């Protein structure tokens, strides 16, 4: 039987290896196409793929099993759970693959895209530009079809020219920038605050006007420190929580 092929990553030795592996595999699972096989490679094959020990791989798989993303059967192997719940809490732990995993696992609709003048707050992120490419997406729970968040991305035009807007229907922007456009990502900064739903957000997320939402601003910086992408996401306050874990080492 053909096995599912996960993406590769470069591990950061300052972060727990099992966590990085679990988040990378999680992103691969949630970003898979309908045609991809459901059976995962063996523990030994996955450990070799990621360059970690079998014990580390086992711990990563245990994490995914606890989330309901995979099921493990003695003698038969490990399988992706097709009906797995996708609305898990957002977890941030300082790696690009964790961010990619955070953004994965929902049905995405590209509402519109185009160009927009750089003005107001955007000027602080893109002082050298007069115009940025924009993308507006609505994400929904794969199982229920319920809208969970809508996002607006503002991307450097030279990077936007390197990918197809339809790539954003299948993959998160961070993955598209890194793996399709070939951008060298240096740092990602995240800001989360509570707000009240404005008319557009209330309509898209199907919540009452002025109901609580989580407003997320993420900035992807290149290796040279310049902003590559700025995203503003409105999450339904009754569907998401944010957990931030700090590495003490």
């Amino acid at each position: 039987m053909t096995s599912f092929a996960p993406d590769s990553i470069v591990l950061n030795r300052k972060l727990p290896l099992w966590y990085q592996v679990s988040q990378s595999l999680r992103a691969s699972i949630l970003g898979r196409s309908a045609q991809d096989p459901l059976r995962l490679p063996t523990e030994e094959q996955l450990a070799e793929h990621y360059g970690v020990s079998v014990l580390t791989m086992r711990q990563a798989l245990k994490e995914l099993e606890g989330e309901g993303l995979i099921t493990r059967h003695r003698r038969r192997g490990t399988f992706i759970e097709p009906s797995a719940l996708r609305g898990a809490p957002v977890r941030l732990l300082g790696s690009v693959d964790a961010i990619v995993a955070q953004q994965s696992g929902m049905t995405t609709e590209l509402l519109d895209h185009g160009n927009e003048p750089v003005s107001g707050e955007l000027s602080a992120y893109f002082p050298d530009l007069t115009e940025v490419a924009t993308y507006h997406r609505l994400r929904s729970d794969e199982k229920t079809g319920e809208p969970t968040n809508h996002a607006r991305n503002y991307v450097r035009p030279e990077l936007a020219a390197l990918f197809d807007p339809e790539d954003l229907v299948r993959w998160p922007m961070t993955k598209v920038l890194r793996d399709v456009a070939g951008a060298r990502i240096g740092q990602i900064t995240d800001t989360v605050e509570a707000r009240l739903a404005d008319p557009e957000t209330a309509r898209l997320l199907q919540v009452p006007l002025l109901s609580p939402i989580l407003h997320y601003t993420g900035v992807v910086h290149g290796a040279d420190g310049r902003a590559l992408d700025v995203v503003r996401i409105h999450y339904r306050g009754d569907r998401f929580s944010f957990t931030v874990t700090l590495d003490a080492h």
Side-chain angles (χ1 to χ4, degrees):
M1 178 184 292
T2 303
S3 296
F4 176 75
D7 294 338
S8 297
I9 59 171
V10 176
L11 296 174
N12 181 344
R13 296 293 165 177
K14 293 183 179 180
L15 297 173
L17 297 181
W18 69 267
Y19 178 85
Q20 296 177 73
V21 170
S22 71
Q23 291 300 287
S24 175
L25 186 52
R26 182 179 189 272
S28 295
I29 289 172
L30 296 179
R32 72 191 187 280
S33 66
Q35 294 75 33
D36 288 334
L38 294 178
R39 185 174 186 171
L40 289 179
T42 66
E43 288 182 354
E44 292 75 13
Q45 290 169 331
L46 285 170
E48 182 179 359
H49 174 78
Y50 285 112
V52 298
S53 68
V54 172
L55 185 62
T56 296
M57 193 66 239
R58 195 168 294 157
Q59 189 174 4
L61 291 172
K62 183 178 179 181
E63 174 79 3
L64 298 179
E65 186 178 25
E67 289 186 40
L69 292 179
I70 62 173
T71 55
R72 310 180 75 186
H73 304 276
R74 190 173 183 180
R75 296 191 180 90
R76 289 182 54 215
T78 301
F79 296 83
I80 297 170
E81 177 54 58
S83 61
L85 296 176
R86 306 304 198 221
V90 176
R91 303 176 64 192
L92 306 178
L93 190 58
S95 73
V96 172
D97 287 285
I99 301 299
V100 169
Q102 162 205 321
Q103 299 168 347
S104 301
M106 295 188 182
T107 300
T108 301
E109 178 186 358
L110 182 62
L111 299 178
D112 58 69
H113 63 91
N115 296 300
E116 182 175 311
V118 174
S119 60
E121 293 182 19
L122 288 179
S123 300
Y125 299 113
F126 303 107
D128 58 324
L129 298 178
T130 59
E131 190 176 70
V132 288
T134 63
Y135 303 89
H136 187 197
R137 292 166 295 155
L138 179 67
R139 298 189 183 108
S140 303
D141 185 280
E142 287 183 346
K143 187 174 183 180
T144 66
E146 182 181 58
T148 58
N149 68 85
H150 76 96
R152 291 186 184 275
N153 288 80
Y154 305 89
V155 182
R156 300 189 71 88
E158 65 269 25
L159 290 176
L162 299 176
F163 63 85
D164 190 311
E166 289 301 315
D167 290 336
L168 297 174
V169 175
R170 180 176 181 186
W171 295 308
M173 176 64 83
T174 307
K175 180 177 177 65
V176 170
L177 289 176
R178 184 187 65 178
D179 298 345
V180 180
R184 295 182 58 200
I185 297 176
Q187 184 182 56
I188 299 175
T189 58
D190 305 287
T191 303
V192 183
E193 58 184 313
R195 290 191 180 181
L196 300 179
D198 57 35
E200 180 188 39
T201 297
R203 176 180 61 84
L204 289 173
L205 300 187
Q206 300 177 15
V207 297
L209 184 65
L210 302 181
S211 61
I213 61 168
L214 293 175
H215 177 76
Y216 165 93
T217 301
V219 184
V220 177
H221 302 272
D224 60 2
R226 295 188 307 167
L228 307 180
D229 165 54
V230 176
V231 61
R232 294 169 179 159
I233 308 177
H234 291 90
Y235 291 94
R236 284 183 58 148
D238 59 344
R239 292 293 181 271
F240 284 89
S241 64
F242 282 74
T243 300
V244 180
T245 302
L246 301 178
D247 182 12
H249 300 290

